[in-house]
Amino acid sequence: MEKQVLAVSRVMVAWQPIGISMGVYDMCLRYLKERKQFGAPLAAFQLNQQKLSLMLGDIQAMTLVGWRLCKLYDKGKMTPGHASLGKSWITLRARETVALGRELLGGNGILADFHVAKAFCDMEPIYTYEGTYDINSLVTGREITGFASFKAPEMSKHSRL
Ligand SMILES: Cc1cc2nc3c(=O)[nH]c(=O)nc-3n(C[C@H](O)[C@H](O)[C@H](O)COP(=O)(O)OP(=O)(O)OC[C@H]3O[C@@H](n4cnc5c(N)ncnc54)[C@H](O)[C@@H]3O)c2cc1C
């Protein structure tokens, strides 16, 4: 029962970072078109466009993984490993996405006024709650391999570390 509750709540939590990432992307795109540096909008610089492309690719991939998780759930085929892989992978990508967004805003990416700093901070608990990235990876790993590796290897009697 506990396993099922966690699996379902992980599906719900997996969507939170997707929404946050979409909001950050929208904010960044608007900001880059408005702010000018070196005589041009920030959106005109190649490196900034590359970061936007990375963010958009992440968002589309995260959405597809989230969508697939929901489909598996609807069909009653979702396993704890599916839910953990979805939650851990999506939060990893979303963490990258909001970090890119924070970077794109330069110093303003640190200020609360532009929402991106808040989104950056909001991503940290999501990465950790409903099972940390590590623990969810181990749940997936157990399902893939059949070996549980949650416990530390036995310490040798003589180990002093
Ligand atoms: C904002 C927020 C809201 C929360 N809400 C809830 C809630 O509503 N209900 C609830 O029950 N909990 C809630 N939590 C708790 C959350 O689920 C835990 O913080 C999370 O599961 C990590 O546990 P921990 O903090 O004890 O970290 P620890 O278990 O101390 O882990 C510390 C680090 O060690 C790693 N680690 C731990 N064990 C292993 C292992 N076996 N192998 C490899 N690495 C390992 C972890 O991945 C992590 O990086 C919330 C947490 C936050 C931040």
Side-chain angles (χ1 to χ4, degrees), residues 124-126 128-135 138 149-152:
E124 290 306 297
I126 296 174
T128 292
Y129 64 49
E130 228 54 49
T132 63
Y133 176 82
D134 298 330
I135 293 296
L138 296 180
S149 59
F150 298 92
K151 289 194 178 154

Side-chain angles (χ1 to χ4, degrees), residues 2-79:
E2 194 184 321
K3 262 189 191 175
Q4 282 171 339
V5 170
L6 274 174
V8 173
S9 56
R10 280 173 185 156
V11 177
M12 290 188 290
V13 168
W15 281 95
Q16 293 169 358
I18 300 175
I20 290 177
S21 301
M22 287 175 173
V24 168
Y25 173 82
D26 283 347
M27 181 71 204
C28 288
L29 185 57
R30 217 173 327 138
Y31 181 90
L32 294 181
K33 283 180 176 173
E34 282 169 13
R35 181 168 167 85
K36 289 190 174 155
Q37 290 289 53
F38 297 92
L42 287 174
F45 296 108
Q46 291 178 342
L47 289 175
N48 290 340
Q49 290 184 8
Q50 186 208 28
K51 289 187 180 79
L52 284 174
S53 300
L54 276 170
M55 291 168 77
L56 194 56
D58 275 350
I59 289 166
Q60 291 185 4
M62 284 189 277
T63 307
L64 284 173
V65 171
W67 177 82
R68 173 160 164 73
L69 260 188
C70 290
K71 284 282 169 201
L72 287 169
Y73 176 73
D74 278 351
K75 288 183 183 161
K77 289 186 176 170
M78 189 186 76
T79 64

